[in-house]
């Protein structure tokens, strides 16, 4: 095995990229709706997200962290490609949009970069930052519960569902998904994704898609030799070959949706991801607005002191 040349310098600290929206939504759906702030506005999502932040930052601080948020589904690039993309999801109510704004204010008050785009999803922001910083020698740690982001995991990277402490490196992704990280987008295109309302090939699930990709390696090679699928030792092989042949355009459309764009133009090349000192005044105002009790305030103050030290 070849070794990296010894430059006398330590490799850069791993970059943590947080798929923030998923943790806001998780809090929204799991915590009681009756939780409100001092003004009587719903606060379950922001309070749940704040607890996630507290535990995450206590664990990883002072590593560099960037928080990516989804902003506008209606104007996203995938929606333009396929109008039915995520059409199964109802629009967020104004009360939740208000809480999203508070979550982003909280991240900024802590001194971290928080990013969003009206044209690209958080996945694409994360993918672009991962590609850029991996090229500069950084390992990338992805904080998410979204299986789609497993396609970004490189040899030194990590996919981490923080709340359940489930961690997957590249080998772990292959064991869990049945394919290498670079094959995940092809697998999702074949099987479809009900969560995102992405069409696939009827009768082909994730396991069958994995078997096909282990045999043909990638979607282009598979579609170029569909007849060979009929000769595989696979239950219903001839039927699957016929389904693939009849759904070529569907699969190619789906692949445009399942692949993460790792070169979006919304983010300037010189984007500063370094964190700044927490804004204690802004944090104090948020704690007051959200009605933090004494115990929660003490834990947050301990975190802030640690970050400043």
């Amino acid at each position: 095995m070849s070794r990296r040349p010894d430059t006398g310098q330590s490799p850069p600290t791993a970059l943590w990229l947080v798929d923030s929206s998923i943790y806001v939504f998780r809090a929204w759906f799991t915590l009681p709706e009756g939780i409100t702030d001092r003004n009587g506005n719903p606060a379950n999502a922001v309070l749940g997200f704040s607890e996630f932040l507290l535990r995450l930052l206590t664990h990883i601080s002072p590593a560099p962290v960037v928080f990516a948020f989804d902003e506008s589904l209606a104007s996203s690039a995938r929606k333009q490609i396929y109008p039915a993309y995520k059409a199964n999801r109802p629009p967020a109510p104004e009360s939740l949009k208000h809480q999203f704004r508070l979550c982003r204010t909280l991240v900024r008050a802590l001194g971290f970069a928080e990013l969003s785009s009206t044209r690209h999803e958080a996945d694409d922001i994360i993918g672009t930052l991962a590609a850029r910083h991996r090229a500069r020698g950084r390992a990338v740690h992805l904080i998410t519960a979204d299986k789609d982001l497993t396609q970004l995991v490189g040899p030194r990277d990590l996919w981490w569902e923080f709340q359940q402490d489930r961690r997957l490196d590249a080998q772990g992704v292959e064991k869990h998904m049945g394919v290498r990280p670079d094959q995940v987008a092809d697998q999702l295109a074949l099987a479809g994704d009900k969560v995102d309302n992405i069409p696939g090939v009827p009768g082909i699930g994730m396991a069958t898609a994995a078997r096909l990709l282990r045999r043909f390696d990638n979607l282009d090679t598979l579609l170029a030799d569909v007849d060979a699928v009929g000769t595989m030792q696979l239950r219903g092989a001839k039927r699957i070959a016929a389904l693939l042949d009849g759904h070529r355009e569907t699969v190619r459309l789906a692949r445009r949706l399942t692949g993460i764009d790792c070169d979006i133009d919304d983010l300037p090349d010189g984007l500063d991801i370094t964190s700044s000192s927490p804004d204690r005044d802004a944090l104090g105002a948020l704690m007051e607005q959200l009605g933090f009790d004494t115990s929660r305030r003490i834990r947050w103050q301990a975190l802030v002191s640690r970050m400043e030290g």
Side-chain angles (χ1 to χ4, degrees), residues 69-190:
F69 287 86
D70 287 311
E71 186 168 338
S72 176
L73 174 60
S75 60
S76 74
R78 289 179 181 83
K79 195 76 169 177
Q80 305 306 310
I81 293 170
Y82 183 58
Y85 176 68
K86 293 187 177 179
N88 51 335
R89 302 188 186 186
E94 286 301 319
S95 59
L96 179 56
K97 292 179 181 179
H98 171 72
Q99 293 195 70
F100 260 101
R101 290 191 288 270
L102 287 177
C103 290
R104 297 178 68 167
T105 299
L106 177 57
V107 169
R108 289 195 301 272
L110 287 165
F112 296 107
E114 55 91 11
L115 304 172
S116 68
S117 166
T118 58
R119 295 190 297 121
H120 299 285
E121 296 178 64
D123 289 6
D124 305 311
I125 293 172
I126 290 171
T128 298
L129 291 176
R132 289 179 184 175
H133 288 274
R134 192 183 292 121
R136 298 168 190 167
R138 283 188 188 272
V140 175
H141 293 174
L142 310 167
I143 307 300
T144 182
D146 188 350
K147 66 182 182 301
D148 297 7
L149 285 170
T150 57
Q151 66 186 269
L152 299 178
V153 176
R156 298 189 300 127
D157 302 334
L158 190 69
W159 179 99
W160 188 7
E161 207 303 64
F162 179 76
Q163 290 185 318
Q164 297 179 10
D165 195 22
R166 184 181 191 184
R167 313 181 196 202
L168 299 175
D169 58 10
Q171 289 182 330
V173 171
E174 187 167 3
K175 182 177 180 181
H176 177 66
M177 302 291 289
V179 296
R180 303 185 309 267
D182 63 285
Q183 296 172 307
V184 167
D186 286 354
Q187 181 186 30
L188 292 169
L190 287 166

Side-chain angles (χ1 to χ4, degrees), residues 251-273:
V251 172
R252 293 202 181 280
L253 169 65
R255 182 58 179 80
R256 295 175 66 192
L257 303 173
T258 60
I260 293 174
D261 189 345
C262 294
D263 189 26
I264 64 174
D265 56 10
D266 291 40
L267 306 179
D269 287 337
L271 182 69
D272 184 9
I273 63 165

